[in-house]
Amino acid sequence: MSASRRLDALQGAGVELVAGVPCSYLVRFFAACEALPPGRYVAAPREDHAVAVCAGAWLGGRPSLAAMQNSGLGYCLEVLTSLHLMYHMPLPMLVSDRGEPTDYEEHRILGQRTRHLLDLFGIPWRVATAGDQEEEAEWLVRTANEGRLPAVLLVGKEADV
Amino acid sequence: MTRAEAIALVLSRLAPEDIVVAADGAISREAYRSADRTRSFYMLGSMGHVASIALGLALTRRERVVALDGDGNLLMGFGNLALIGGLRPANLYHLILDNQVYATTGGQATLSRQVDLAAAASGCGYPCARRCGPGEDAEAAMDAWLGVAGPALLDLVVDPLDPGPVAKRIPMTPEEIALQVRAALGAS
């Protein structure tokens, strides 16, 4: 058991490695990641590096998860399209759901278009709740594995449990 | 030394179980033409991410993982030096085929003429990082590079242009490339 029910549920669904860049909406999740054994959490300097690390881990047989703020999706577009989508690699992704009208200006432009962006590239997504982490984790990993593509669980501040 | 010659010399030094990640563009095509291996992953796009894919493999596998990177590629994903230098996977070997130009787009200069890539890797925490310039013994440098504990980086300066015929595109779909590596690693 870690300090994050979200991380516990994802590990229960098969995730063995997390690579990402922290977001203040996901403080509990990233704190639990930092307590993982060496080599099981990769603190990347930028989100696209984290996504590429996950691709290598998958090639080697280790199911992995990329975690980030939704602003990081912008950096990831090239890797997601010409690596994961093109090579048909599964990638469960945990992405913070920022950009509501009360959020700071720097989060609004990309944040309010995150769902459109994912739809544009045919990446399945769902909004997390604070309630059923196990079912959400199972959906995320199954959707990525069965479709062999990236799949996204959008997590608001209240769903970082 | 041409890039194709350097790739052939490196591949001839690897054991069958070693895993290779080859950079998008000419490096992948030349690696395929020189010695196709089921444990070689050929990138077709996502420039800048050779080393991070290799890192994901190195963290996951016990075998040696060799990244065939380019100078333009490394400069695009420069954060990879910090990522690998910080985590220090002992089974990761990072080769820069440094022709100092963006060869596939017409030979425009990269910043590697001004930037010391080996010094940057050392500063990021690679325990072994060295440059092999024109006129130096490239084969001895390769043997030394593969003979130490990783992560080790060799910045190998190669000719800006390859005189030989351009290697053809790899006749596999991206999905076939990925599945071939997964199967060879028993991960499918």
Side-chain angles (χ1 to χ4, degrees):
Chain A
M1 289 281 287
S2 75
S4 164
R5 284 186 281 148
R6 179 79 58 201
L7 178 61
D8 291 343
L10 288 161
Q11 289 184 303
V15 169
E16 295 179 16
L17 180 145
V18 179
V21 180
C23 173
S24 62
Y25 273 29
L26 303 172
V27 166
R28 182 187 291 267
F29 176 81
F30 277 101
C33 287
E34 290 201 289
L36 288 171
R40 296 304 175 129
Y41 170 58
V42 175
R46 213 172 59 187
E47 293 84 353
D48 49 346
H49 295 353
V51 165
V53 166
C54 290
W58 178 77
L59 284 170
R62 182 164 294 168
S64 50
L65 172 100
M68 65 189 67
Q69 186 174 95
N70 54 3
S71 61
L73 279 174
Y75 281 129
C76 292
L77 272 185
E78 160 66 1
V79 196
L80 290 175
T81 53
S82 58
L83 198 56
H84 287 86
L85 286 170
M86 192 174 81
Y87 285 87
H88 299 272
M89 297 178 172
L91 179 67
M93 300 178 74
L94 197 70
V95 177
S96 67
D97 194 13
R98 299 202 64 149
E100 62 269 34
T102 53
D103 203 349
Y104 300 118
E105 285 92 337
E106 62 268 32
H107 296 290
R108 289 185 209 153
I109 295 177
L110 199 142
Q112 290 171 7
R113 290 160 181 79
T114 297
R115 290 154 173 77
H116 299 303
L117 188 69
L118 296 171
D119 287 340
L120 185 63
F121 288 94
I123 296 173
W125 57 271
R126 225 173 107 167
V127 177
T129 66
D132 199 348
Q133 301 84 43
E134 285 75 20
E135 194 274 331
E136 288 166 355
E138 191 273 333
W139 172 85
L140 183 67
V141 172
R142 177 171 45 80
T143 303
N145 284 341
E146 289 182 1
R148 296 176 65 115
L149 44 55
V152 171
L153 190 61
L154 289 169
V155 182
K157 201 184 248 178
E158 71 294 337
D160 178 33
V161 292
Chain B
M1 174 173 286
T2 67
R3 183 183 51 210
E5 287 166 352
I7 289 170
L9 286 170
V10 169
L11 292 177
S12 73
R13 283 167 163 72
L14 302 185
E17 66 270 21
D18 290 341
I19 301 165
V20 170
V21 181
D24 50 289
I27 292 175
S28 267
R29 294 200 294 271
E30 286 168 357
Y32 178 85
R33 180 174 66 180
S34 175
D36 182 29
R37 310 163 69 258
T38 56
R39 290 185 174 224
S40 288
F41 180 69
Y42 303 107
M43 292 172 66
L44 301 172
S46 56
M47 181 169 173
H49 294 98
V50 190
S52 24
I53 296 171
L55 174 66
L57 276 157
L59 292 174
T60 304
R61 309 292 304 192
R62 294 177 183 278
E63 298 95 326
R64 190 160 61 172
V65 180
V66 177
L68 303 181
D69 211 339
D71 50 309
N73 227 300
L74 177 67
L75 287 160
M76 185 177 278
F78 218 50
N80 279 312
L81 288 182
L83 187 52
I84 291 165
L87 293 178
R88 289 183 208 176
N91 56 340
L92 181 53
Y93 292 81
H94 195 172
L95 177 71
I96 315 302
L97 295 148
D98 188 353
N99 60 7
Q100 307 191 325
V101 293
Y102 296 103
T104 51
T105 56
Q108 302 88 350
T110 69
L111 284 168
S112 83
R113 291 176 198 187
Q114 290 86 27
V115 177
D116 186 336
L117 302 177
S122 290
C124 285
Y126 281 61
C128 178
R130 63 157 293 195
R131 181 174 191 270
C132 179
E136 292 182 57
D137 187 341
E139 294 201 57
M142 286 179 194
D143 290 333
W145 164 62
L146 290 169
V148 297
L153 179 138
L154 176 62
D155 178 23
L156 179 63
V157 177
V158 295
D159 299 342
L161 293 172
D162 261 332
V166 178
K168 294 194 176 80
R169 280 184 72 88
I170 296 167
M172 284 193 280
T173 66
E175 187 173 21
E176 285 167 349
I177 293 171
L179 291 180
Q180 175 171 281
V181 174
R182 288 261 298 176
L185 298 178
S188 55

